[in-house]
Amino acid sequence: MKTILQTQKCFGCGACAAACPKFFEMNKDGKAHLKNSTLNPETNEEKLEAEGTDCIQEAVDVCPAQCIKIVN
Ligand code: SF4
């Protein structure tokens, strides 16, 4: 199970960090950051291998930009 955050689509509303502070925080650049993730500099996607989704699904559901994805 992986979580992917497409940072280029994020407009910094903060909903993911409010819904799931265990995994999401807001960066100084105003965009969301997936904690402990690795960044692909070519796509600007952050990727995290997560054991169980916890509140990540809630973050997916509340993101108005639909830039958080859970993939197997
Ligand atoms: S909910 Fe989506 S648009 Fe809002 S800060 Fe999080 S990733 Fe960015």
Side-chain angles (χ1 to χ4, degrees), residues 5 10-16 26 32 62-65 67-68:
L5 171 61
C10 171
F11 62 92
C13 71
C16 57
M26 300 309 294
V62 298
C63 176
C67 55
I68 306 167

Side-chain angles (χ1 to χ4, degrees), residues 7 25-34 46:
T7 57
E25 63 187 0
M26 300 309 294
N27 254 343
K28 288 188 186 129
D29 67 2
K31 296 198 175 217
H33 168 59
L34 188 53
E46 294 185 343

Side-chain angles (χ1 to χ4, degrees), residues 30-55:
K31 296 198 175 217
H33 168 59
L34 188 53
K35 295 180 182 178
N36 299 314
S37 62
T38 53
L39 174 69
N40 181 334
E42 289 181 9
T43 60
N44 277 328
E45 287 182 351
E46 294 185 343
K47 189 188 290 182
L48 176 71
E49 300 268 355
E51 295 282 325
T53 55
D54 284 277
C55 53

Side-chain angles (χ1 to χ4, degrees), residues 3 24 55-64 66 68-70:
T3 302
F24 294 89
C55 53
I56 293 176
Q57 183 62 51
E58 286 175 46
V60 171
D61 293 342
V62 298
C63 176
Q66 299 182 332
I68 306 167
K69 310 237 181 276
I70 297 172

